[in-house]
């Protein structure tokens, strides 16, 4: 996470005159919840079932809602699907995404694509679409519990 922030800071300040300012760092620094959300997304994609519940509790305590979490996981798996579907390989496809994925994060996501494979990624996307639809429906649902179940199912799928 620190190296990602440094890379982002370097890109943000590229061509700027003078030393890096506090405002520059603040502009690229992730919120505490955003870092936790990234950790959760990667834990799900890498099959780390035991990490999911504690991360969800941390996110809920920081004010994240289930819909935001479902959207973030869905976005990550759509990126993995684009990479899995690319004829020229996952790393090349990830670097073409907007915003592009680079550095250690790209390597990590390419490893997730290789481990999961396209069929499992598509199943994960289906589970997240179901969760998203349920969360947005007019019927009251226990949102965090629903998201927790879907993420655990995806992580179990990823751990195979």
């Amino acid at each position: 996470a620190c190296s990602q922030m440094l890379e982002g800071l370097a890109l943000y300040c590229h061509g700027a005159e003078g030393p890096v300012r506090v405002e520059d760092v603040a502009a690229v620094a992730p919120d505490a919840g955003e870092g936790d959300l990234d950790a959760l997304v990667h834990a799900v994609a890498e099959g780390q079932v035991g990490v999911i519940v504690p991360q969800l509790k941390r996110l809920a305590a920081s004010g994240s809602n289930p819909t935001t979490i479902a959207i973030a996981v869905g976005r990550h798996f759509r990126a993995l699907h684009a990479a899995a579907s690319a004829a020229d390989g996952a790393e090349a496809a990830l670097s073409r995404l907007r915003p592009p994925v680079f550095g250690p994060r790209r390597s990590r996501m390419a490893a997730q694509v290789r481990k999961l494979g396209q069929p499992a990624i598509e199943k994960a996307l289906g589970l997240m679409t179901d969760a998203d639809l349920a969360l947005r429906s007019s019927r009251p649902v226990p949102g965090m519990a629903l998201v927790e179940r879907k993420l655990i199912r995806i992580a179990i799928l990823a751990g195979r």
Side-chain angles (χ1 to χ4, degrees), residues 22-42:
V22 173
E23 295 82 19
D24 298 330
V25 175
V28 298
D31 296 335
E34 189 177 317
D36 287 343
L37 187 54
D38 282 347
L40 173 68
V41 168
H42 286 295

Side-chain angles (χ1 to χ4, degrees), residues 14-136:
H14 180 71
E17 299 281 329
V20 175
R21 301 168 311 165
V22 173
E23 295 82 19
D24 298 330
V25 175
V28 298
D31 296 335
E34 189 177 317
D36 287 343
L37 187 54
D38 282 347
L40 173 68
V41 168
H42 286 295
V44 170
E46 293 166 357
Q48 300 172 12
V49 177
V51 175
I52 293 170
V53 174
Q55 283 292 86
L56 280 173
K57 286 181 180 176
R58 206 171 293 123
L59 285 165
S62 70
S64 293
N65 67 49
T67 304
T68 302
I69 295 167
I71 289 168
V73 173
R75 184 181 314 121
H76 183 79
F77 276 88
R78 279 191 301 280
L80 294 181
H81 187 263
S85 305
D88 58 348
E91 295 217 5
L94 290 168
S95 64
R96 282 194 307 270
L97 290 176
R98 295 291 169 243
V101 180
F102 54 90
R105 186 166 177 255
R106 180 173 63 193
S107 300
R108 188 174 189 182
M109 288 177 71
Q112 292 168 3
V113 168
R114 285 189 297 276
K115 182 179 180 190
L116 288 164
Q118 191 168 350
I121 292 170
E122 289 173 356
K123 182 150 178 80
L125 281 170
L127 289 168
M128 289 317 301
T129 301
D130 292 345
D132 194 29
L133 291 172
L135 289 169
R136 294 173 193 245

